[in-house]
Amino acid sequence: NGYIVGGYTTAPQKEVFEYDPIANTWAQKAPLSDVIYDGAMTNVGCNIYVATGAYGVAEARSGTFSQYS
């Protein structure tokens, strides 16, 4: 499965969406605890890992590494 995590529209987002390529559907998942954008992300099993990026409103946190389940 694939994921879209966070992002930025008119403000930073904390939404999480999961894509199921077999069913060709998107499902909204539980939101992140904080907004995030400009991060590098990957998933391993059921965990999503986020490296660097910015959290909150324009608060850069270079060098951070977070895991979401």
Side-chain angles (χ1 to χ4, degrees):
N1 291 350
Y3 296 89
I4 293 178
V5 179
Y8 196 99
T9 55
T10 57
Q13 303 296 307
K14 60 171 133 181
E15 296 176 319
V16 177
F17 293 92
E18 178 182 44
Y19 178 69
D20 180 342
I22 295 171
N24 192 29
T25 58
W26 288 93
Q28 188 164 11
K29 299 299 189 178
L32 302 174
S33 58
D34 198 3
V35 295
I36 183 171
Y37 59 98
D38 289 342
M41 300 163 210
T42 191
N43 70 297
V44 177
C46 295
N47 296 314
I48 298 170
Y49 297 93
V50 181
T52 67
Y55 295 76
V57 179
E59 178 189 343
R61 294 178 74 184
S62 179
T64 62
F65 189 80
S66 303
Q67 174 188 336
Y68 300 94
S69 299

